[in-house]
Amino acid sequence: MIELNNIHKSFSGHEVLKGVSFKVEKGEILVLIGMSGYGKSVILKHVVGLLKPDKGTVKVDGLEVNSLKKNALADLRSRIGFLFQGGALFESMTVYDNVAFPLREKARLDRTVIEKKVLNVIDQVGLSGAENKYPSQLSGGMQKRAALARELVWEPEIMIFDEPTTGLDPIIGHAILNLIEEMHKRMHFTGIIITHELSRVFKIVNKVAMLHEGIIIETGSPEEMLSSKNSLVRQFLSGDTEGPISFR
Amino acid sequence: MDFVRYIGGESIGILSRIGRLFTFLVYAIYFSITPPFKIDRILRQIRFIGAQSTLVVLLIGTFTGMVISLQGYHTLSRLGSEAFLGPMVALSIMKEMAPVLTGLMVTARAGSALTAEIGIMRITNQIDAIEMMGLNPFRYLIAPNMIAGFISLPLLTGMFDAIGILGGYLVGVKIFGLEYATFFGEINTYVWVEHLMEGIYKSMSFGIIISWVSCYMGYYTGSSGFGAEGVSKSTTSAVVLAAIMILIWDYFMTAFLF
Ligand SMILES: Nc1ncnc2c1ncn2[C@@H]1O[C@H](COP(=O)(O)OP(=O)(O)O)[C@@H](O)[C@H]1O
Ligand SMILES: [Mg+2]
């Protein structure tokens, strides 16, 4: 379970989060939507303690993230898969070594077991044949998929995806969401996804939250969001340029 | 009042950064001397910091030895004591030139690259990714560099010593016609293992300074600027700070330890 309570965060005087609260139950996936630059990535980093709130609390499975000791935080993090918006692949390693890294360092599995798992997940994200390439030799979309493979391979209990489909072509994007859905059916991880592919992702998630100007303005099931009375939510979901949200 | 507040604020900023720099050193050393050691990463960094600096160190070593011999010969011959050219070349190379110039050269070559590499890892979230796996970036990134610096610099310095003395010999014996036996005989009499070790000890500490400062600047990239600009700022600061610290530390080591 993930619970954010009244999170405030400023960067050098610029207040990005002004009291963000939401809750994701165990086994549930929440989709976070909102305009670019409004702090969605910042919220995710608070969930795992990579950023500290100026005010407010973050709880994951009942543990208060910001008061954990170093070791306890490391233990908690080693149950959380985190896909960074930019992928964050290790540039000094091949795709294979990137994906194998968490298994080698954390699980201490047998070589052959690791190889099987790694090749399997690389195949699932459609990267077979690129195992021995370095991240710099891949397109942006391929990097994203390799990064996703690095998280999926060790089957964490909690998964956080920062724009897993942005920059992918529609077919691959769809395949990735299907993969996430299939994984969720099998493992029932608790998750948060940031994505702009709303129509697709709405089929696989239980809950949607919309961030606007520093606060969560509405939370609900996909159906509730689609029929929301809030004009901000309606405009965002329909993608109209006319409305209360000004993008200039 | 504003002025006082400004000065106060700046001083606190500087003090806290100095504190952070030394805290970083403590962590870096702690993770360098406690297992598990990341052998493959250590070897990779020894290759990068050490092996790949060999050629440039040999090159500057040769010419440094030659120029000391050139200058020394002119000075000593005026006093009629060119017989001491050998010890003069050997001592100035072993005690000062080899460790200091090697340190500065490695700072420029490997230190700057180290800062850039770690800085890019910082701004592209690769360091966060290591932490997110519940692993410690000090163990994976910083400690291997500290160990590699500590091992590589003395080896490079030893090579500098050898080739530098050879360069001095070339100029003194082959160009100025000093006796081979005089050149090396006097070295044998006046230069001891302690003199050699003085430079080697220095170089070990320089190795630590280079890795420490370069890693620190890379690790904290982004707190002074963003993106590529942040990385280039850190790289410049790392080279300048490491070079200054090497020279200052060299003075204090020479003054108080030897
Ligand atoms: N580490 C940081 N330091 C300073 N400002 C930051 C930092 N991280 C994010 N910001 C700022 O916070 C705002 C929200 O960023 P982000 O969370 O990346 O938006 P998005 O909703 O597109 O993911 C932006 O204005 C960004 O410049
Ligand atoms: Mg973002």
Side-chain angles (χ1 to χ4, degrees), chain A residues 11 14 16 35-42 51 85 163, chain B residues 226:
Chain A
F11 293 107
H14 168 52
V16 177
M35 301 269 286
S36 284
Y38 271 15
K40 300 185 298 298
S41 299
V42 169
L51 287 175
Q85 188 163 357
E163 308 205 5
Chain B
F226 287 99

Side-chain angles (χ1 to χ4, degrees), chain B residues 93-104 157 199 202-203 206:
Chain B
I93 285 186
M94 284 176 174
K95 288 160 71 112
E96 288 298 337
M97 290 303 174
V100 171
L101 290 182
T102 303
L104 295 179
T157 300
K202 281 182 175 178
S203 71
F206 296 164

Side-chain angles (χ1 to χ4, degrees), chain A residues 77 88-91 105-106, chain B residues 38 126 131-133 140:
Chain A
R77 282 173 172 170
L89 289 172
F90 301 126
E91 281 161 27
E105 296 298 334
K106 301 199 318 187
Chain B
K38 298 290 152 192
Q126 293 177 57
E131 288 194 46
M132 274 313 302
M133 292 176 187
Y140 281 81

Side-chain angles (χ1 to χ4, degrees), chain A residues 119-134:
Chain A
L119 292 178
N120 181 35
V121 73
I122 287 180
D123 180 51
Q124 283 184 314
V125 297
L127 280 182
S128 288
E131 294 90 353
N132 295 320
K133 294 214 162 101
Y134 285 88

Side-chain angles (χ1 to χ4, degrees), chain B residues 80-92:
Chain B
S81 40
E82 47 289 24
F84 296 114
L85 186 65
M88 186 195 155
V89 169
L91 287 176
S92 45

